[in-house]
């Protein structure tokens, strides 16, 4: 099965270039990452690719096997660390960068961290390159903390953070609740210790940007030329990839240092949790088409008027700015309510689908569609205006919507960020796909 | 000519007037403030020309012993019982200036001041001059001309944290450093209703583009003959400052100076952004309770380790140190403006310190 899938993809690569690579793959409705309470990381140098076909030197946190000492590839962003509330966490860090790259470290905003080993730095304890004084006890730093509240958090370099965050030393920290909240359903998922944080699908939106000049300067060791007062990014990333690469599956072999995708999918009526993180230094106004979301938490704290009140101070909006170093949890939903037609193409006698908007049941599509060959169809049109429907399309039209889902563009409203080094489309574009209830997700 | 009775009546009237003036004074905070040019030394030793405010403590503008100006200017305090703020402004610059407090109404405002563009030789106050469609507003509030003393009066002064800025050509005069914080508590030790504090620190984020400063000081900025920088459109700050200094200045190590915290004490941090860029103050190791924005108390505090502080904004937060002192919490710009003219480390990085009682 995998082999056939790969072969098909290879044909696509040969015939059509990179754009359709993502298609036909199924994204996962959960956030992938490293689960546990002890993590061993190594700061390493590697290369990422951008969707305009360029490649850049990066520094990333890699997973290190403490027993064998072997490390994986550096990642952009670093591994998503998934831990549990009230369970003590230990993260060790070593430094495989060249000595001239400097020391490295990690800070965990919102956590009370104890750092041991390594050497004192400005924000926390740091670790020098393994090439300097090996075996003297400076080669590892350990960070321990006990996450007291569930939620979405960020970790970033705390050493020359302007340069090191630009180079890729950051990642997401997700703290899952220790137990089902009071009144909750053990079969369901919750982001916080309150029933109003329930969700069905969750996705990471970790925003970052890049000024290619900085990476060239690092590559060419022109350290003295690096000047963040002239910072001018031209590449933008969600979870370390830009459009359209971010629609491909997690862990695809052609993006070995960018393992995480951003392809949200859901069924009508489900609650989608967006874990929204500003990892870089700029602010990105992300616009979630299709419906309002509710911001239920900021910086890993429910927006609450008091203990037990739940997210009663949540606010509704369609656009939210990613704040550097900060996190927000958004809950988004979609049922097709008031769309104006029966999205399932029911006749009035058919039974209702779950969460179907009853007043539109059996209501016909309100527009007479033009003849098949009279118009040009976008790549995401299935050929049918109905959810899960498929229709005939002219050759070369459509083709990127396997299940007849509804596509909603989720993108930055700083429109110049929808490019990769001035090539459109690229950068901060993603799509939520609303799938028919019968289409499996994950 | 006047009868004895009349004189007596006049005396009584004068007494009443005096009483009302004295009474008014008792309920007004009154300051004598200078604006003057100076040089400011950056962390890397570079001297940058600035225009700053200074406080004349003997209220006469005559003596010269206490006339140093600074950027930002001194923090002005309005007492909880003061209804009004009066500022007497002496202008030692060579161009008109004015004052404007964001979020407070200037009661005696005779502005805005319009000028004939581009000559800038003629002014009108109040409305646009009739029939003149090329006139431009130069000042939001009435101007104080070079060498003169102006009076600015805010009655019904609201409590909270506020930013005073120049109201004249702000792209130029605010860039040059004409801003200062003004604070008023609701009652002794309470910034707002039920927002009490044990210690307080004012933290102003601001930036400097030295090229613009130099052009302004040389008279080659703006719509002038021979201009080297015609506007601030390409502003590119090189220095990222907190309270006029950047890391590793002593003033940031720690930023709360002698106001260090004991475990459980409440530190009020009044954040202001007097610059032109958005900053994101972030603290490591604990959360802050955000209580107010632009002098408006929230109904419920927001718990966060950071927040958006856009240009011109003020945010008040309460920080309670949960740790046994001594402990230092880094407080910095999460937008990572952590350099001094490109040299790292530097910029907007400071520490909030908690100390043992005998080290306070």
């Amino acid at each position: 099965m995998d082999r056939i899938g790969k072969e098909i993809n290879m044909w696509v690569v040969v015939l059509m270039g990179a754009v359709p690579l993502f298609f036909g793959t199924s994204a996962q409705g959960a956030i992938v990452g490293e689960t546990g309470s002890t993590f061993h990381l190594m700061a390493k140098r590697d290369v990422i690719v951008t969707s305009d076909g360029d490649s850049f030197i990066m520094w990333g946190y890699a997973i290190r096997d403490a027993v064998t000492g072997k490390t994986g590839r550096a990642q952009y962003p670093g591994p998503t660390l998934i831990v549990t509330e009230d369970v003590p966490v230990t993260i060790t860090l070593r430094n495989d960068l060249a000595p001239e790259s400097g020391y490295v470290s990690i800070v965990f905003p919102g956590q009370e961290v104890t750092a041991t080993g390594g050497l004192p730095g400005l924000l926390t304890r740091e670790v020098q390159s393994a090439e300097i004084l090996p075996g003297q006890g400076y080669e590892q730093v350990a960070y321990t903390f006990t996450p007291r509240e569930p939620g979405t958090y960020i970790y970033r370099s705390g050493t020359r953070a302007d340069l090191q965050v630009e180079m890729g030393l950051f990642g997401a920290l997700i703290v899952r609740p220790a137990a089902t909240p009071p009144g909750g359903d053990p079969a369901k998922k919750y982001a916080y210790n309150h029933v109003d944080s329930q969700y069905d699908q969750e996705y990471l939106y970790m925003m970052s940007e890049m000024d290619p000049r900085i990476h060239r300067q690092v590559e060419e060791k022109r350290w003295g030329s690096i000047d963040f007062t002239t910072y001018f990014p031209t590449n933008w990333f969600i979870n370390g990839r830009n459009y359209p690469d971010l629609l491909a599956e997690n862990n695809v072999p052609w993006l070995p240092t960018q393992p995480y995708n951003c392809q949200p999918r859901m069924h009508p009526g489900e609650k989608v949790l967006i874990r929204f993180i500003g990892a870089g230094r700029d602010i990105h106004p992300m616009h979630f088409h299709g419906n309002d979301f509710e911001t239920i938490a900021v910086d890993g704290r429910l927006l609450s008027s008091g203990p037990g009140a739940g997210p009663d101070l949540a606010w509704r909006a369609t656009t939210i700015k990613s704040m550097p170093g900060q996190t927000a949890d958004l809950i988004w939903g979609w049922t097709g309510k008031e769309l104006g037609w029966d999205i399932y193409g029911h006749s009035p006698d058919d039974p209702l689908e779950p969460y179907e908007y009853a007043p539109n049941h059996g209501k016909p599509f309100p527009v007479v569609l033009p003849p098949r060959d009279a118009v040009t169809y976008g790549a995401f049109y299935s050929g049918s205006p109905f959810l899960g429907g498929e229709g005939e399309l002219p050759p070369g039209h459509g083709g990127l919507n396997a299940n007849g889902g509804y596509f909603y563009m989720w993108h930055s409203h700083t429109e110049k960020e929808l490019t990769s080094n001035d090539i459109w489309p690229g950068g901060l574009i993603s799509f939520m796909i609303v799938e028919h209830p019968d289409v499996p997700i994950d | 000519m006047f009868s004895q009775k009349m004189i007596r009546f006049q005396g009584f009237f004068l007494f009443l007037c005096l009483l009302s003036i004295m009474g008014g004074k008792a309920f007004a905070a009154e300051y004598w403030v200078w604006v003057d040019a100076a040089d400011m030394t950056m962390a890397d030793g570079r001297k940058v020309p600035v225009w700053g405010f200074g406080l004349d403590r003997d209220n006469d503008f005559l003596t010269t012993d206490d006339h140093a100006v600074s950027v930002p200017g001194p923090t002005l305090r309005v007492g909880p019982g003061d209804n009004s703020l009066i500022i007497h402004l002496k202008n030692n610059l060579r161009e008109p200036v004015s004052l404007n407090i964001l979020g407070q109404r200037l009661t005696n405002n005779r502005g805005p001041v319009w000028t004939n563009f581009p000559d800038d030789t003629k002014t009108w106050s109040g409305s646009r001059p009739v029939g003149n469609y090329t006139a431009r507003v130069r000042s939001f509030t009435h101007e104080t001309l070079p060498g003169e003393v102006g009076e600015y009066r805010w009655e019904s002064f609201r409590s909270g944290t506020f930013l005073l800025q120049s109201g004249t050509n702000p792209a130029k005069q605010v860039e040059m450093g004409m801003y200062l914080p003004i604070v008023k508590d609701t009652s002794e030790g309470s910034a707002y209703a039920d927002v009490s504090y044990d210690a307080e620190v004012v933290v102003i984020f601001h930036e400097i583009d030295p090229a613009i400063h130099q052009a302004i000081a040389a008279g080659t900025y703006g719509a002038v003959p021979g201009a080297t920088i015609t506007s601030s459109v390409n502003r590119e700050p090189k220095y990222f400052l907190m309270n006029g200094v950047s890391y590793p200045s002593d003033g940031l190590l720690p930023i709360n100076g002698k106001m260090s915290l004991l475990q459980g004490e409440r530190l009020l941090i009044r954040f202001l952004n007097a610059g032109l860029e958005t900053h994101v103050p972030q603290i490591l190791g604990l959360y802050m309770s955000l209580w107010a924005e632009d002098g408006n108390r929230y109904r419920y505090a927001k718990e966060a380790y950071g927040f958006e502080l856009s240009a011109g904004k003020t945010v008040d937060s309460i920080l309670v140190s949960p740790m046994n002192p001594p402990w230092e919490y880094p407080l910095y710009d999460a937008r990572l403006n952590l350099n001094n003219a490109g040299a790292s480390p530097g910029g907007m990085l400071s520490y909030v310190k908690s100390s043992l009682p005998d080290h306070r």
Side-chain angles (χ1 to χ4, degrees):
Chain A
M1 285 284 280
D2 272 346
R3 189 182 170 83
I4 294 167
K6 258 181 203 165
E7 278 174 10
I8 290 170
N9 271 336
M10 289 302 288
W11 273 108
V12 170
V13 172
V14 172
L15 292 174
M16 301 183 69
V19 171
L21 278 179
F22 53 84
F23 184 63
T25 59
S26 80
Q28 296 176 346
I31 292 172
V32 299
E34 308 293 321
T35 50
S37 59
T38 302
F39 306 91
H40 303 289
L41 302 180
M42 176 74 91
K44 292 176 74 172
R45 173 181 153 131
D46 215 314
V47 173
I48 65 159
V49 296
T50 49
S51 64
D52 58 322
D54 214 336
S55 62
F56 295 94
I57 291 289
M58 301 293 285
W59 300 341
Y61 297 114
I63 291 288
R64 184 176 69 85
D65 186 319
V67 178
T68 65
K70 288 184 177 163
T71 58
R73 298 283 290 265
Q75 282 187 218
Y76 182 65
T80 297
L81 307 179
I82 303 171
V83 302
T84 306
E85 176 193 8
D86 291 334
V87 176
V89 176
T90 299
I91 294 156
T92 72
L93 176 65
R94 295 187 179 207
N95 182 356
D96 194 37
L97 299 174
E100 71 265 23
S101 306
Y103 295 6
V104 295
S105 65
I106 310 177
V107 295
F108 300 86
Q111 310 294 342
E112 287 177 33
V113 178
T114 304
T116 53
L119 295 155
L122 292 183
L123 299 187
T124 185
R125 295 188 76 85
E126 308 177 334
V127 59
Q128 62 190 12
S129 170
E131 293 176 31
I132 309 171
L133 299 173
Q136 307 241 334
Y138 302 129
E139 69 272 17
Q140 178 170 300
V141 63
Y143 306 102
T144 58
F145 57 91
T146 301
R148 291 183 297 128
E149 303 268 353
T152 303
Y153 302 88
I154 181 178
Y155 67 88
R156 297 209 282 191
S157 167
T159 306
R160 198 170 179 189
D162 49 359
L163 176 61
Q164 296 198 356
V165 168
E166 167 71 18
M167 293 304 288
L169 291 168
F170 59 82
L173 171 72
I174 294 172
V175 181
R176 299 215 180 276
T180 303
D185 177 353
K188 291 190 171 177
K189 294 179 277 191
Y190 299 87
Y192 290 85
N193 288 321
H194 194 276
V195 288
D196 290 347
S197 66
Q198 186 263 325
Y199 64 91
D200 301 292
Q201 314 283 354
E202 65 172 334
Y203 298 100
L204 184 66
Y205 268 78
M206 188 165 212
M207 320 300 296
S208 62
E209 61 281 322
M210 169 203 279
D211 180 344
R213 295 174 305 165
I214 305 275
H215 298 257
R216 301 291 182 233
Q217 287 158 346
V218 169
E219 186 172 8
E220 294 159 12
K221 299 186 179 181
R222 290 187 286 123
W223 304 105
S225 306
I226 295 170
D227 179 0
F228 277 90
T229 68
T230 61
Y231 190 72
F232 191 80
T234 54
N235 268 313
W236 293 273
F237 303 86
I238 308 173
N239 304 342
R241 297 183 189 174
N242 31 40
Y243 179 88
D245 296 346
L246 50 72
L247 301 183
E249 272 191 287
N250 291 310
N251 300 310
V252 288
W254 60 86
L255 296 168
T257 56
Q258 295 152 279
Y260 300 142
N261 75 359
C262 182
Q263 176 54 87
R265 297 166 75 208
M266 60 147 356
H267 300 123
E270 287 181 337
K271 290 183 173 174
V272 177
L273 173 68
I274 301 161
R275 297 187 183 268
F276 189 52
I277 304 176
R281 55 189 297 140
D282 278 347
I283 292 160
H284 307 289
M286 285 298 287
H287 184 65
F288 298 89
H289 273 268
N291 202 356
D292 291 337
F293 55 81
E294 285 207 347
T295 303
I296 64 162
V298 168
D299 285 359
R301 293 292 181 270
L302 274 185
L303 297 173
S304 189
S305 64
D312 59 338
L313 303 182
W315 79 82
R316 286 181 79 81
T318 53
T319 303
I320 183 171
K321 294 175 284 185
S322 66
M323 277 296 130
Q326 294 209 261
T327 74
D329 291 290
L330 322 177
I331 289 189
W332 189 90
W334 190 94
T335 61
K337 183 184 175 186
E338 295 175 348
L339 209 55
W341 74 96
D342 184 322
I343 59 173
Y344 300 99
H346 289 131
S347 52
D349 300 335
D350 290 340
L352 286 168
E353 298 286 343
Y355 301 103
E356 185 180 338
Y357 182 59
N360 281 352
H361 188 66
K363 200 183 265 189
F365 191 65
V367 174
V368 178
L369 292 171
R372 193 200 77 166
D373 294 339
V375 290
T376 301
Y377 295 96
F380 299 130
Y381 185 52
S382 71
S384 163
F386 301 113
L387 194 63
E390 286 176 15
E392 207 186 330
L393 288 168
H397 292 239
L400 299 185
N401 185 352
N403 305 310
Y406 287 171
F407 279 58
Y408 284 103
M409 190 176 175
W410 285 6
H411 65 104
S412 167
H413 244 301
T414 299
E415 303 274 342
K416 81 168 194 175
E417 297 175 347
L418 312 191
T419 58
S420 295
N421 201 22
D422 212 16
I423 307 291
W424 187 91
L428 302 183
I429 302 173
S430 67
F431 288 93
M432 159 57 84
I433 310 175
V434 181
E435 301 279 25
H436 188 277
D438 294 342
V439 175
I441 295 176
D442 49 47
Chain B
M1 293 292 281
F2 292 110
S3 69
Q4 198 72 7
K5 208 175 184 181
M6 190 68 176
I7 289 167
R8 219 178 288 142
F9 174 76
Q10 279 192 329
F12 182 66
F13 182 72
L14 280 171
F15 173 73
L16 275 181
C17 285
L18 202 63
L19 199 68
S20 69
I21 289 167
M22 285 169 71
K25 280 200 173 180
F27 296 99
E30 196 164 4
Y31 290 98
W32 281 258
V33 173
W34 295 70
V35 55
D36 208 342
D39 278 337
M40 193 168 160
T41 305
M42 300 292 112
D44 57 4
R46 180 169 179 174
K47 284 196 182 339
V48 177
V50 295
W51 296 344
F53 290 117
L55 198 57
D56 184 44
R57 292 178 199 282
D58 55 9
N59 307 341
D60 60 1
F61 292 133
L62 296 173
T63 48
T64 56
D65 54 320
D66 194 13
H67 293 160
V69 298
S70 62
V71 176
T75 300
L76 303 186
R77 292 177 186 277
V78 179
D82 292 333
N83 290 326
S84 306
L85 169 68
I86 300 164
I87 296 178
H88 306 274
L89 176 67
K90 174 82 188 292
N91 181 5
N92 277 358
L93 299 176
R94 284 176 293 177
E95 63 179 59
V97 299
S98 64
L99 300 182
N100 183 40
I101 301 176
L102 304 176
Q104 302 276 1
R105 201 174 73 86
L106 180 68
T107 317
N108 68 337
N109 188 5
R110 298 184 306 279
V113 177
W114 300 75
T115 71
N116 55 331
F117 182 81
D119 300 344
D120 211 19
T121 50
K122 202 173 167 197
T123 62
W124 299 266
S125 286
S127 322
R128 172 184 285 279
V130 177
N132 185 337
Y133 299 107
T134 55
R136 290 186 173 190
V137 168
R138 182 171 73 191
S139 300
F140 302 144
T141 63
H142 57 270
E143 294 177 338
T144 299
L145 299 178
E148 294 188 356
V149 176
E151 188 195 281
Y152 298 83
R153 181 187 291 268
W154 293 264
E155 288 162 16
S156 306
F157 198 90
R158 297 196 294 127
S159 58
T161 301
F162 297 93
L163 183 64
L164 176 146
Q165 295 182 318
S166 166
T168 301
N169 198 346
K172 182 181 182 185
Q173 296 193 356
V174 174
E175 170 72 44
M176 285 301 269
M178 290 178 60
Y179 41 81
L180 57 79
I182 301 188
V183 301
K184 179 183 177 182
D185 284 341
T186 50
S187 60
E188 199 67 45
S190 285
Y192 300 92
D194 302 320
V195 184
S196 64
Y197 61 90
D198 302 304
E200 177 210 47
V201 59
V202 176
V203 180
I204 301 170
F205 286 73
H206 54 136
E207 325 93 23
I208 281 178
D209 180 342
I212 292 179
H213 282 244
Q214 246 128 26
I216 292 172
T220 61
Y221 172 91
V224 295
T228 54
I229 297 179
T230 53
S231 80
S232 294
V233 70
N234 292 319
R235 181 178 187 267
E236 196 171 76
K238 300 293 176 188
Y239 297 100
F240 301 90
L241 310 178
M242 298 166 82
N243 295 348
V245 292
S246 62
Y247 183 87
S249 163
D250 286 347
L252 304 180
L253 309 171
I255 199 165
N256 51 326
K258 288 178 180 159
M259 294 291 190
S260 55
L261 279 182
L262 303 180
Q263 185 182 21
E265 275 188 342
R266 294 163 62 86
L267 175 67
L268 169 68
I269 307 183
R270 301 181 187 266
F271 290 97
L272 301 94
N273 187 344
L276 278 68
E277 304 214 338
T278 297
H279 299 287
V280 180
Q282 182 180 83
I283 194 157
L284 290 180
L286 78 172
Y287 279 74
M288 297 180 275
S289 298
L290 309 182
W291 270 110
E293 186 174 323
D294 297 339
N296 298 294
R297 184 193 190 278
Y298 295 142
R299 187 167 296 175
Y300 303 98
K302 299 179 188 175
E303 299 299 309
Y305 55 72
F307 58 91
E308 177 182 11
L309 187 67
S310 48
K313 189 159 264 308
T314 78
V315 170
D316 296 307
S317 76
I318 293 281
L319 182 153
V320 181
S321 173
M323 304 295 284
N324 283 312
W327 200 265
E328 285 193 339
Y329 303 96
L331 173 68
Y332 59 103
D333 182 13
R335 297 201 67 194
L336 308 177
N337 290 304
L338 304 175
N339 68 77
N340 298 323
S344 175
M348 294 167 164
L349 168 59
S350 69
Y351 297 86
V352 175
K353 189 174 187 182
S354 66
S355 294
L356 295 165
D358 53 351
H359 288 87
R360 291 191 71 168

